[in-house]
Amino acid sequence: MAKQNNIRTPIVCVLGHVDHGKTSLLDRIRGSSVVSTEDGAITQHIGATIVPIDAIKRMSGGLEKLALSVPGLLFIDTPGHHAFTTLRARGGALADMAIVVVDINQGFQPQTIEALQILRNYKTPFVIAATKIDRLHGWKVNKDEPFLKSFSMQNDRVRDLLEKKVYELVGNLSDLGFSAERFDRVSDFRRNLAIVPVSAHTGEGIAELLMVMIGLAQRYMEEALEFSVDGPGTGTILEVKEEKGLGLTLDLILYDGTIAVGDDIAVATQGGVVITKVRALLKPRPMKEILVEDRFERVKSVVAASGIKVSAPNLEGAIAGSPVQVVAGEPGPVIEKIRKEMEEINVHLSPEGLVVKADTIGALEALSKELENLNIGIMRAEVGPLSRHDVIEAETIKNPFYRALLAFSTPVLPDAAELLRDPSYSMVRLFEGRVIYKLVEDYVEWRDELKRKTEQQKFEQIVMPAKIRILPHCVFRQSNPAVVGVRVLGGTLRTGVYLATREGKRVGHLKSMQQNQENIREADAGAEVAISIEGATVGRQINVEDDLLVDIPEKHVKVLEMEMLSHLPISTQEVLAEFTALKRKEDPFWGK
């Protein structure tokens, strides 16, 4: 059995579908209300909360008599939307155990399955928290009671409904290759997944959820949680923050070893890996989340696993999501290790694509993953503020649909903002936001609207097919220009086009068109209009009851046939086919 001081706090990752209540569950455990402060009520950065073993004992009751060596649980609240697959994978690698949150009423969603695949890939033990039991029809709330006690107080219909919902989850998990059962029926937690029904809103089932997590850690993970107290500390930066009286600080998850005031640490920055010295260490109070804690206590050293704030000089440009390591001997190998890890940021770049900026590695990877899923290219992806150089680079992108900048939770530097106001950079569009999926949606909406307008402009300039017949008793002028009444037999007749006979001989230029003595620019099939034709004389080039076709340039025929055909009315398609057949008598490949 490992000694108590050599057992570190297990890191617990909380995963699941958006809106299924992950942050609400943690809020219940730590008695806070973080969810209301998040943009769109979706967690956008990993938060860390330490829940000490005494607090877990108080909440769980049934643990009082057990001799526990685990000092508590460190919860990481991972971001909620499916865009964060990559960051969750990073979280999965960091975590010792996980809670997968599933709304018992909605069951498995695509994101839930993503979470399970990540945990399977990383071989991370986990528990299913089946949340929102208080929303089951007819559920009688028993605030903060253990699930089994509350369940026994429900009527038969409600108990049957819950059993049915739990077995639906068991079936879903079985389809995915997992053997699962309700927690109180599991005899071997190594072989079977435990499903714990809970309510974050009422606190029901929270006691058993914590008991199962502690039990898993205690029974099956003691060896994995053993660590060397004297080993150099290793962690991951959650956030880089300016703090009053301290300057720039790092919010850090220490997941191995020890870090102390005076230690040299290696930190990844935008300018490369720097070595700096720890000036102060601050710990959030137990049960408080590091991202929203306003009062910290100063400590001399911290042992893993823990969420801590580190004050040190030269942290400018430190990159959130990157590794931090205490330097115990020669700095060279540590610098090289971190540099290599930073080079492996999971973003696929394209020769043509967007310029993407974000405040953390995790967010950058997640944003890039979301764009990649939509087949949107990324030319450059970097952590840091949006600079003048980014704007200049975006302006040079040839494809107008990629002439955009995406900035997630990162500032726009003043010289970049000034450049974006310059009329010569009006073609560059900036998208800013703190919710990734909204940022991507905004860009896609803009791109699609730009495509629609571009297509519309292109189609407006295309010479459209049309066929007309010169009407009897409607010759108003014989020449210079000829003015005649015509009926549009098919297609769309527009001014500014050339007309040709059915033999393909060009006869003149359609200068203007009138209907009811008003000038018009176009007329559809069935309309009767007066037209003026430059270069034609009635009785020579044209005659009453002649059928004339619009003489379409060869380039325009290619566009009509390749890009527009399905959008054209049947009558227009028929006129186009008649005109191309005429041209292809002499040259079979004309317009192809």
Side-chain angles (χ1 to χ4, degrees), residues 30 32 34 45-50 74-77 236-239 241 243 249-254 282-296 306-310:
R30 66 187 169 221
S32 68
V34 172
H45 285 108
I46 302 178
T49 306
I50 192 121
L74 177 67
F75 286 95
I76 296 179
D77 180 16
T236 298
I237 299 174
L238 295 182
E239 198 167 12
K241 270 189 193 162
E243 295 287 355
T249 65
L250 305 177
D251 284 359
L252 195 75
I253 291 278
L254 185 75
L282 300 100
K283 278 189 82 169
R285 292 166 297 166
M287 313 288 282
K288 293 290 179 184
E289 194 203 9
I290 192 168
L291 289 185
V292 294
E293 170 66 300
D294 52 1
R295 293 205 308 279
F296 293 85
S306 191
I308 53 166
K309 186 175 280 293
V310 177

Side-chain angles (χ1 to χ4, degrees), residues 83-84 86-87 90 320-322 358-367 383 436:
F84 286 89
T86 316
L87 192 55
R90 192 177 282 273
S322 64
D359 62 338
T360 72
I361 290 175
L364 189 72
E365 287 186 339
L367 178 53
V383 172
I436 279 185

Side-chain angles (χ1 to χ4, degrees), residues 82-101:
H82 73 86
F84 286 89
T85 311
T86 316
L87 192 55
R88 284 214 294 273
R90 192 177 282 273
L94 192 65
D96 303 300
M97 300 188 289
I99 298 173
V100 176
V101 176

Side-chain angles (χ1 to χ4, degrees), residues 318-338:
I319 298 171
S322 64
V324 170
Q325 193 167 331
V326 170
V327 180
E330 268 294 308
V334 176
I335 290 170
E336 183 55 30
K337 183 184 165 202
I338 292 177

Side-chain angles (χ1 to χ4, degrees), residues 5 46 79 104 134 137 182 204 206 268 363 404-405 435 449 546:
N5 69 345
I46 302 178
I104 198 165
D134 58 300
H137 186 61
R182 205 174 78 188
E204 290 164 285
I206 299 291
L405 299 153
V435 178
E449 178 60 16
D546 274 358

